[in-house]
Structure formats: structure tokens, C-alpha cells
Amino acid sequence: MHTTPTQAVVLAGGQGSRLRPYTDDRPKPMVEIPGTGTPIIGHQLSWLAAEGVTDVVISCGHLAEVLQEWLRDAELPLKVTTVVETEPLGRGGGLKYAARHLPAPDEPWYATNGDIWTRFSLREMAAFHAERDATATLALARPRIPWGAVETDTFGHITDFIEAPPSPFLINAGVYVFSAAFTDLLPDLGDHERTTFPRLARERRLAGFPLPQGAYWRAIDTAKDLTEAARELAGPTP
């Protein structure tokens, strides 16, 4: 019987420089999705709570006080603790520092990047993680290429134009399931994606969970992403 995580870390310390001017006075996860009146972090916490998470640790950095103030005033669907890095620890170090504040260090946990807005079954991902006895599992997305693609035949004639086709490659979707043992494998300082993940991959202890067909996923990196998220919201519910 595997344990479905009830605790999560949200990494919310990024500068969000590509989202300026929105991030001049707030951290990236505090940027509102137009038309919802709710910042990205609010959507994330609702989703985590709906997936059975009861405790979240938010790792803050850039303009942490703006996020902390919002959390104080908001009606939250779960228990939230914030931690602030006194000096930059890198992504892996930041993850480890935040994980040390989880209420149940001997149990598995979820993690997500603070700029990801998505909806899919975390419980299914946790079951996938347990079935493979993985130390870490990454959600994998197939984003749309932002350009139109051109198809040609062998002779060089153009046969078709395809608007924003899905990428042929899967990417790290910024949502994770980690076993309890994963925390100790993280660097105190530096990037786990260059150290811990490659090592686990070599040892066949790293799994990849493809997002289910039709699952909503978007990384909010630029003003264009915000506009498109708002447009998708106005259409059929994701």
C-alpha cells in the first residue's frame, strides 16, 4: 500500500524578470491570471487542496513580504508555512531547505514551481511513482510550439502549414512526486537538475509521468502566457 502525499513544497522565489512590469512590485506567483482576481499561487493552492494535500511549504525569495501578506489575508484551503532563503541556495538547495520544514519528513511529498498553472490527477501521478518504486517522478508536458510549422515532401514542395503544433519532445512540467529519501540527495547549494536528477536517471530511479491527454498545463513566463491563459479561461473550462 503506497502513501499518497498530503504535503507539498511550492517554489516561489524567482525574480520573474520576463514578466515585467507585472513583477516590479510582486513575486511571479502573485501575478493575477486576468479575469480571475486570483494570483497563480491561489490557483495552485486550490488544486493541491483538491488533490488531498493538507500542508504546504512555500519557498519565498524575491519580494517575499508581498506573498506573505496575501497569504495572511486569504482564506486558504490548507495549512501554509513560508520559508525565506537568507542567501540564494540555488534551485536544489532551495528545495532542500523548504523540504526540511515539511511536517512529515518520513513521508513522500509533492513539489511544484510557482509559475505553473495546471490541472491533472496528482493521485494518479503518486500511484505511478509508487508502482515504479522511483525516488523522484517528474510530470512531463508536450507544449505547443509557438510558431507555425511547415511540412514538405521529399522533393521540397510545401504540402501543409500547421499552426502551433505539439512539440515532438516531452519537457519537465515543473510538478514532482518525491520519496522521503529524496530530500537527503539534494545539494545544500546548487541545482538538482544538474546533479541529483542525472544521477537518479543513471540509476533508473527517476520516473517520468506524461500528463494525461487533454490535461490543462501552462507555464506563466511572459505577458503573452498571461493573455493566453485568460483567453483559455474565457473559452471552455480547462
Side-chain angles (χ1 to χ4, degrees):
M1 175 67 187
H2 75 271
T3 310
T4 301
T6 57
Q7 52 185 2
V9 168
V10 177
L11 295 173
Q15 295 275 342
S17 50
R18 288 196 295 162
L19 258 174
R20 287 196 175 124
Y22 297 101
T23 48
D24 284 345
D25 61 353
R26 68 196 62 195
K28 202 172 175 184
M30 278 303 298
V31 173
E32 286 187 9
I33 305 285
T36 70
T38 303
I40 299 165
I41 190 78
H43 292 284
Q44 288 186 322
L45 294 176
S46 299
W47 174 54
L48 290 169
E51 289 294 324
V53 174
T54 56
D55 292 85
V56 170
V57 176
I58 300 178
S59 174
C60 311
H62 174 64
L63 296 172
E65 62 285 355
V66 179
L67 178 51
Q68 289 170 323
E69 191 178 326
W70 181 83
L71 289 166
R72 267 197 304 275
D73 297 340
E75 284 187 30
L76 301 172
L78 32 65
K79 183 174 185 290
V80 173
T81 307
T82 57
V83 296
V84 183
E85 296 172 27
T86 47
E87 56 193 66
L89 301 173
R91 290 192 297 177
L95 199 54
K96 188 174 197 171
Y97 179 64
R100 296 277 185 233
H101 294 79
L102 288 168
D106 298 334
E107 291 180 15
W109 47 290
Y110 297 119
T112 181
N113 297 341
D115 57 356
I116 300 295
W117 187 32
T118 184
R119 287 287 183 278
F120 66 91
S121 172
L122 279 174
R123 291 179 178 91
E124 277 179 27
M125 186 176 169
F128 178 96
H129 169 83
E131 278 162 18
R132 280 144 193 82
D133 198 24
T135 302
T137 298
L138 285 59
L140 303 175
R142 195 180 292 279
R144 293 201 165 271
I145 295 171
W147 307 282
V150 177
E151 282 193 350
T152 61
D153 62 17
T154 51
F155 192 66
H157 289 120
I158 290 175
T159 56
D160 204 0
F161 295 91
I162 305 162
E163 193 55 44
S167 164
F169 298 105
L170 290 164
I171 64 161
N172 177 351
V175 180
Y176 312 90
V177 184
F178 296 134
S179 300
F182 178 75
T183 311
D184 288 335
L185 303 177
L186 284 163
D188 293 321
L189 199 64
D191 189 348
H192 60 295
E193 296 195 8
R194 299 195 178 173
T195 52
T196 316
F197 280 174
R199 178 182 148 195
L200 290 175
R202 283 193 300 272
E203 295 169 358
R204 296 291 183 270
R205 293 160 64 199
L206 189 66
F209 175 76
L211 292 191
Q213 191 73 31
Y216 185 79
W217 180 87
R218 181 171 283 285
I220 309 289
D221 271 331
T222 63
K224 185 168 181 269
D225 292 322
L226 273 181
T227 310
E228 290 183 1
R231 194 179 67 229
E232 286 157 357
L233 253 189
T237 308

mmCIF file of all heavy atoms in Angstrom, residues 33-56:
data_model
loop_
_atom_site.group_PDB
_atom_site.id
_atom_site.type_symbol
_atom_site.label_atom_id
_atom_site.label_comp_id
_atom_site.label_asym_id
_atom_site.label_seq_id
_atom_site.Cartn_x
_atom_site.Cartn_y
_atom_site.Cartn_z
ATOM 1 N N ILE A 33 -3.995 35.907 -12.751
ATOM 2 C CA ILE A 33 -4.476 35.464 -14.064
ATOM 3 C C ILE A 33 -5.621 36.404 -14.411
ATOM 4 O O ILE A 33 -6.607 36.476 -13.665
ATOM 5 C CB ILE A 33 -4.990 34.000 -14.010
ATOM 6 C CG1 ILE A 33 -3.933 33.044 -13.466
ATOM 7 C CG2 ILE A 33 -5.492 33.569 -15.380
ATOM 8 C CD1 ILE A 33 -2.812 32.691 -14.392
ATOM 9 N N PRO A 34 -5.511 37.168 -15.511
ATOM 10 C CA PRO A 34 -6.560 38.151 -15.834
ATOM 11 C C PRO A 34 -7.949 37.508 -15.853
ATOM 12 O O PRO A 34 -8.132 36.410 -16.357
ATOM 13 C CB PRO A 34 -6.166 38.619 -17.247
ATOM 14 C CG PRO A 34 -4.698 38.369 -17.335
ATOM 15 C CD PRO A 34 -4.441 37.147 -16.513
ATOM 16 N N GLY A 35 -8.880 38.219 -15.242
ATOM 17 C CA GLY A 35 -10.266 37.745 -15.266
ATOM 18 C C GLY A 35 -10.624 36.842 -14.096
ATOM 19 O O GLY A 35 -11.793 36.512 -13.911
ATOM 20 N N THR A 36 -9.630 36.425 -13.283
ATOM 21 C CA THR A 36 -9.945 35.519 -12.166
ATOM 22 C C THR A 36 -9.878 36.221 -10.812
ATOM 23 O O THR A 36 -10.463 35.744 -9.848
ATOM 24 C CB THR A 36 -8.978 34.313 -12.109
ATOM 25 O OG1 THR A 36 -7.680 34.777 -11.709
ATOM 26 C CG2 THR A 36 -8.875 33.602 -13.444
ATOM 27 N N GLY A 37 -9.144 37.344 -10.745
ATOM 28 C CA GLY A 37 -8.982 38.027 -9.463
ATOM 29 C C GLY A 37 -8.129 37.245 -8.482
ATOM 30 O O GLY A 37 -8.049 37.577 -7.310
ATOM 31 N N THR A 38 -7.493 36.174 -8.970
ATOM 32 C CA THR A 38 -6.703 35.301 -8.091
ATOM 33 C C THR A 38 -5.297 35.155 -8.652
ATOM 34 O O THR A 38 -5.130 34.919 -9.846
ATOM 35 C CB THR A 38 -7.357 33.903 -8.002
ATOM 36 O OG1 THR A 38 -8.700 34.062 -7.543
ATOM 37 C CG2 THR A 38 -6.613 32.994 -7.039
ATOM 38 N N PRO A 39 -4.263 35.285 -7.793
ATOM 39 C CA PRO A 39 -2.901 35.081 -8.293
ATOM 40 C C PRO A 39 -2.633 33.606 -8.586
ATOM 41 O O PRO A 39 -3.367 32.722 -8.125
ATOM 42 C CB PRO A 39 -2.026 35.583 -7.143
ATOM 43 C CG PRO A 39 -2.867 35.449 -5.923
ATOM 44 C CD PRO A 39 -4.289 35.624 -6.362
ATOM 45 N N ILE A 40 -1.565 33.359 -9.327
ATOM 46 C CA ILE A 40 -1.196 31.984 -9.706
ATOM 47 C C ILE A 40 -1.122 31.091 -8.468
ATOM 48 O O ILE A 40 -1.638 29.981 -8.462
ATOM 49 C CB ILE A 40 0.169 31.984 -10.445
ATOM 50 C CG1 ILE A 40 0.104 32.823 -11.721
ATOM 51 C CG2 ILE A 40 0.597 30.552 -10.792
ATOM 52 C CD1 ILE A 40 1.462 33.166 -12.319
ATOM 53 N N ILE A 41 -0.507 31.589 -7.388
ATOM 54 C CA ILE A 41 -0.339 30.777 -6.172
ATOM 55 C C ILE A 41 -1.700 30.359 -5.601
ATOM 56 O O ILE A 41 -1.854 29.254 -5.075
ATOM 57 C CB ILE A 41 0.510 31.533 -5.107
ATOM 58 C CG1 ILE A 41 0.894 30.617 -3.943
ATOM 59 C CG2 ILE A 41 -0.204 32.766 -4.574
ATOM 60 C CD1 ILE A 41 2.018 29.675 -4.229
ATOM 61 N N GLY A 42 -2.709 31.210 -5.730
ATOM 62 C CA GLY A 42 -4.050 30.881 -5.251
ATOM 63 C C GLY A 42 -4.646 29.708 -6.010
ATOM 64 O O GLY A 42 -5.242 28.793 -5.417
ATOM 65 N N HIS A 43 -4.461 29.723 -7.340
ATOM 66 C CA HIS A 43 -4.938 28.598 -8.168
ATOM 67 C C HIS A 43 -4.204 27.310 -7.782
ATOM 68 O O HIS A 43 -4.803 26.238 -7.709
ATOM 69 C CB HIS A 43 -4.710 28.899 -9.651
ATOM 70 C CG HIS A 43 -5.564 30.008 -10.180
ATOM 71 N ND1 HIS A 43 -6.908 29.854 -10.471
ATOM 72 C CD2 HIS A 43 -5.285 31.297 -10.472
ATOM 73 C CE1 HIS A 43 -7.401 30.990 -10.911
ATOM 74 N NE2 HIS A 43 -6.443 31.891 -10.924
ATOM 75 N N GLN A 44 -2.908 27.435 -7.524
ATOM 76 C CA GLN A 44 -2.112 26.255 -7.165
ATOM 77 C C GLN A 44 -2.570 25.652 -5.833
ATOM 78 O O GLN A 44 -2.715 24.441 -5.710
ATOM 79 C CB GLN A 44 -0.627 26.624 -7.062
ATOM 80 C CG GLN A 44 0.012 26.898 -8.404
ATOM 81 C CD GLN A 44 1.508 27.110 -8.268
ATOM 82 O OE1 GLN A 44 1.972 27.717 -7.314
ATOM 83 N NE2 GLN A 44 2.263 26.610 -9.211
ATOM 84 N N LEU A 45 -2.785 26.500 -4.834
ATOM 85 C CA LEU A 45 -3.180 26.002 -3.515
ATOM 86 C C LEU A 45 -4.554 25.328 -3.569
ATOM 87 O O LEU A 45 -4.774 24.306 -2.923
ATOM 88 C CB LEU A 45 -3.167 27.144 -2.487
ATOM 89 C CG LEU A 45 -1.780 27.742 -2.181
ATOM 90 C CD1 LEU A 45 -1.904 28.930 -1.234
ATOM 91 C CD2 LEU A 45 -0.821 26.699 -1.606
ATOM 92 N N SER A 46 -5.461 25.879 -4.371
ATOM 93 C CA SER A 46 -6.792 25.248 -4.532
ATOM 94 C C SER A 46 -6.652 23.863 -5.143
ATOM 95 O O SER A 46 -7.304 22.908 -4.720
ATOM 96 C CB SER A 46 -7.684 26.093 -5.443
ATOM 97 O OG SER A 46 -7.878 27.360 -4.901
ATOM 98 N N TRP A 47 -5.798 23.775 -6.160
ATOM 99 C CA TRP A 47 -5.583 22.493 -6.844
ATOM 100 C C TRP A 47 -4.965 21.464 -5.891
ATOM 101 O O TRP A 47 -5.430 20.331 -5.795
ATOM 102 C CB TRP A 47 -4.674 22.714 -8.065
ATOM 103 C CG TRP A 47 -4.246 21.471 -8.773
ATOM 104 C CD1 TRP A 47 -5.052 20.477 -9.259
ATOM 105 C CD2 TRP A 47 -2.907 21.089 -9.112
ATOM 106 N NE1 TRP A 47 -4.296 19.501 -9.874
ATOM 107 C CE2 TRP A 47 -2.982 19.857 -9.799
ATOM 108 C CE3 TRP A 47 -1.651 21.673 -8.914
ATOM 109 C CZ2 TRP A 47 -1.838 19.203 -10.279
ATOM 110 C CZ3 TRP A 47 -0.545 21.032 -9.399
ATOM 111 C CH2 TRP A 47 -0.633 19.809 -10.065
ATOM 112 N N LEU A 48 -3.934 21.877 -5.159
ATOM 113 C CA LEU A 48 -3.271 20.960 -4.222
ATOM 114 C C LEU A 48 -4.256 20.471 -3.159
ATOM 115 O O LEU A 48 -4.294 19.283 -2.830
ATOM 116 C CB LEU A 48 -2.067 21.649 -3.568
ATOM 117 C CG LEU A 48 -0.869 21.919 -4.492
ATOM 118 C CD1 LEU A 48 0.139 22.843 -3.813
ATOM 119 C CD2 LEU A 48 -0.186 20.622 -4.913
ATOM 120 N N ALA A 49 -5.072 21.386 -2.643
ATOM 121 C CA ALA A 49 -6.059 21.002 -1.624
ATOM 122 C C ALA A 49 -7.060 20.007 -2.199
ATOM 123 O O ALA A 49 -7.409 19.012 -1.550
ATOM 124 C CB ALA A 49 -6.787 22.238 -1.104
ATOM 125 N N ALA A 50 -7.497 20.248 -3.439
ATOM 126 C CA ALA A 50 -8.460 19.342 -4.085
ATOM 127 C C ALA A 50 -7.855 17.953 -4.311
ATOM 128 O O ALA A 50 -8.577 16.956 -4.410
ATOM 129 C CB ALA A 50 -8.922 19.937 -5.416
ATOM 130 N N GLU A 51 -6.513 17.894 -4.374
ATOM 131 C CA GLU A 51 -5.824 16.619 -4.606
ATOM 132 C C GLU A 51 -5.401 15.943 -3.284
ATOM 133 O O GLU A 51 -4.593 15.020 -3.292
ATOM 134 C CB GLU A 51 -4.604 16.849 -5.506
ATOM 135 C CG GLU A 51 -4.964 17.181 -6.951
ATOM 136 C CD GLU A 51 -5.640 16.021 -7.672
ATOM 137 O OE1 GLU A 51 -5.281 14.862 -7.417
ATOM 138 O OE2 GLU A 51 -6.545 16.278 -8.495
ATOM 139 N N GLY A 52 -5.916 16.442 -2.170
ATOM 140 C CA GLY A 52 -5.675 15.765 -0.893
ATOM 141 C C GLY A 52 -4.504 16.293 -0.082
ATOM 142 O O GLY A 52 -4.124 15.708 0.942
ATOM 143 N N VAL A 53 -3.903 17.405 -0.525
ATOM 144 C CA VAL A 53 -2.770 17.983 0.220
ATOM 145 C C VAL A 53 -3.311 18.824 1.381
ATOM 146 O O VAL A 53 -4.245 19.615 1.200
ATOM 147 C CB VAL A 53 -1.884 18.842 -0.710
ATOM 148 C CG1 VAL A 53 -0.793 19.568 0.073
ATOM 149 C CG2 VAL A 53 -1.261 17.964 -1.789
ATOM 150 N N THR A 54 -2.734 18.647 2.554
ATOM 151 C CA THR A 54 -3.180 19.386 3.746
ATOM 152 C C THR A 54 -2.143 20.395 4.240
ATOM 153 O O THR A 54 -2.482 21.328 4.964
ATOM 154 C CB THR A 54 -3.488 18.408 4.899
ATOM 155 O OG1 THR A 54 -2.312 17.609 5.148
ATOM 156 C CG2 THR A 54 -4.646 17.487 4.559
ATOM 157 N N ASP A 55 -0.870 20.196 3.871
ATOM 158 C CA ASP A 55 0.217 21.075 4.341
ATOM 159 C C ASP A 55 1.123 21.479 3.184
ATOM 160 O O ASP A 55 1.601 20.614 2.438
ATOM 161 C CB ASP A 55 1.067 20.353 5.391
ATOM 162 C CG ASP A 55 0.296 20.107 6.673
ATOM 163 O OD1 ASP A 55 -0.426 19.084 6.754
ATOM 164 O OD2 ASP A 55 0.404 20.939 7.579
ATOM 165 N N VAL A 56 1.366 22.783 3.062
ATOM 166 C CA VAL A 56 2.235 23.289 2.002
ATOM 167 C C VAL A 56 3.313 24.184 2.606
ATOM 168 O O VAL A 56 3.027 25.004 3.485
ATOM 169 C CB VAL A 56 1.426 24.090 0.945
ATOM 170 C CG1 VAL A 56 2.347 24.821 -0.021
ATOM 171 C CG2 VAL A 56 0.498 23.171 0.159
#
